[in-house]
């Protein structure tokens, strides 16, 4: 059995301990802002990089941690929040629509809505491929018509560094999906906040160019995957969270 899954719910807030060879890699500098307000974002140090009808990309530099945060707001009117969520977490189907995936699998289950994931991705030649180990958590709020997926990089004793890949130690993302009318009805907005240290020195201009082109391309692929998954009817949602009042 897995050591981490025997710990109490309270301790899962800090599930990783060095004694079992598993721990978080950084302080996860992602904020809780997931509604779009130009005024508030500008006050908080964000700058708008891309502004289109489909999406807006914002950037914020965290100099103390040498991290660049990106925040993307967008809307799709032809898929549901649940379909978009499933396209993000259906790891087996992702092999079909994301050709950059070399490996993607759950290596440990913590609770019904939290797991440890290993992800290896191909980079264009001559760059070496990257791999990630991260904790992924899911939540759903039926009353506010909201789904969330949070990923945070960790070091895990079952996945040591492989010479074939460059291990990415600083990675995190938070995706908030809001339904316009109902979780299974067409029409949803999203806010994706993330950072990704490529594991090698890359000029900021190159990082920005990659973010401004690759993120929209990726989200369009997620959209197309969501359309397909919706057509199959094989959809699932996060497990209901326990009632903390009892």
């Amino acid at each position: 059995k897995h050591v981490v899954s025997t710990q109490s719910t309270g301790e899962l807030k800090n599930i990783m301990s060095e004694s079992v060879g598993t721990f978080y890699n950084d302080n996860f500098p992602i904020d809780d802002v997931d509604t779009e307000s130009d005024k508030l974002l500008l006050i908080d140090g964000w700058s708008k990089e891309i502004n289109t009808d489909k999406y807006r990309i914002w950037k914020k530099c965290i100099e103390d941690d040498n991290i660049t945060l990106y925040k993307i707001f967008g809307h799709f009117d032809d898929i549901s929040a649940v379909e978009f969520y499933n396209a993000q977490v259906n790891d087996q189907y992702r092999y079909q629509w994301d050709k950059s995936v070399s490996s993607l699998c759950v290596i440990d289950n913590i609770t019904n809505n939290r797991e440890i994931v290993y992800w290896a991705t191909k980079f264009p030649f001559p760059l070496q491929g990257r791999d990630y180990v991260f904790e992924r958590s899911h939540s759903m709020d039926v009353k506010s018509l909201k789904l969330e997926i949070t990923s945070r990089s960790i070091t895990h004793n079952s996945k040591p560094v492989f010479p074939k890949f460059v291990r990415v130690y600083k990675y995190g993302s938070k995706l908030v999906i809001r339904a316009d009318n109902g979780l299974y009805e067409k029409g949803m907005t999203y806010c994706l906040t993330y950072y990704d240290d490529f594991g090698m020195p890359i000029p900021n201009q190159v990082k920005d160019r990659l973010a401004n082109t690759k993120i929209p391309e990726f989200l369009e692929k997620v959209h197309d995957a969501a359309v397909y998954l919706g057509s199959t009817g094989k959809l699932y949602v996060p497990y209901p969270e326990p009632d903390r009042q009892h």
Side-chain angles (χ1 to χ4, degrees):
K1 65 181 180 180
H2 300 295
V3 176
V4 294
S5 56
T6 64
Q7 300 182 41
S8 70
T9 302
E11 290 173 321
L12 287 173
K13 293 289 184 181
N14 300 298
I15 61 166
M16 311 308 172
S17 67
E18 295 190 36
S19 61
V20 294
T22 306
F23 46 88
Y24 292 122
N25 290 337
D26 58 33
N27 61 4
F28 195 69
I30 289 181
D31 58 32
D32 293 324
V33 176
D34 53 49
T35 54
E36 195 168 10
S37 167
D38 285 17
K39 181 179 179 180
L40 293 178
L41 288 165
L42 289 168
I43 290 174
D44 197 36
W46 292 87
S47 60
K48 186 180 288 186
E49 298 290 298
I50 300 289
N51 185 16
T52 71
D53 291 338
K54 279 191 172 183
Y55 58 85
R56 278 75 56 204
I57 300 179
W58 293 75
K59 182 182 79 169
K60 182 179 181 179
C61 296
I62 311 294
E63 294 184 2
D64 290 345
D65 295 325
N66 195 27
I67 284 175
T68 301
L69 291 170
Y70 296 94
K71 194 180 289 285
I72 306 94
F73 295 95
H75 179 268
F76 291 116
D77 57 13
D78 60 342
I79 57 174
S80 71
V82 169
E83 289 168 345
F84 194 66
Y85 164 81
N86 275 260
Q88 297 280 352
V89 298
N90 188 323
D91 297 333
Q92 291 304 312
Y93 182 56
R94 183 164 176 174
Y95 278 98
Q96 298 184 39
W97 62 263
D98 187 352
K99 300 307 180 183
S100 70
V101 171
S102 178
S103 179
L104 180 62
C105 59
V106 173
I107 59 175
D108 197 357
N109 287 292
I110 305 167
T111 68
N112 287 332
N113 290 334
R114 299 178 80 179
E115 64 257 357
I116 307 301
V117 179
Y118 175 74
W119 171 35
T121 181
K122 307 165 190 172
F123 268 52
F125 180 84
L127 296 176
Q128 196 171 355
R130 267 61 180 161
D131 68 351
Y132 305 72
V133 183
F134 58 93
E135 175 199 27
R136 183 172 65 190
S137 60
H138 319 247
S139 67
M140 177 174 65
D141 188 329
V142 176
K143 290 183 179 179
S144 63
L145 303 177
K146 183 171 70 172
L147 290 153
E148 289 190 18
I149 308 169
T150 302
S151 299
R152 181 176 180 181
S153 61
I154 65 167
T155 294
H156 194 280
N157 56 2
S158 72
K159 283 293 180 181
V161 175
F162 300 123
K164 182 179 178 181
F165 298 101
V166 174
R167 177 62 50 89
V168 176
Y169 289 101
K170 290 184 178 181
Y171 164 75
S173 69
K174 182 179 180 181
L175 175 65
V176 179
I177 310 166
R178 281 191 169 85
D180 293 346
N181 299 298
L183 289 170
Y184 289 89
E185 297 179 35
K186 305 300 183 187
M188 40 84 39
T189 60
Y190 66 85
C191 172
L192 171 64
T193 309
Y194 91 103
Y195 60 96
D196 188 347
D197 181 355
F198 292 105
M200 63 179 291
I202 295 180
N204 288 333
Q205 297 90 336
V206 176
K207 286 183 181 179
D208 292 345
R209 188 161 61 248
L210 286 171
N212 294 341
T213 57
K214 295 301 182 182
I215 294 173
E217 289 177 9
F218 171 76
L219 289 169
E220 282 297 327
K221 289 180 180 179
V222 175
H223 164 268
D224 293 344
V227 171
Y228 170 77
L229 290 171
S231 71
T232 68
K234 297 177 181 178
L235 302 170
Y236 61 93
V237 295
Y239 288 87
E241 294 294 338
D243 188 347
R244 292 183 173 84
Q245 293 180 347
H246 299 285

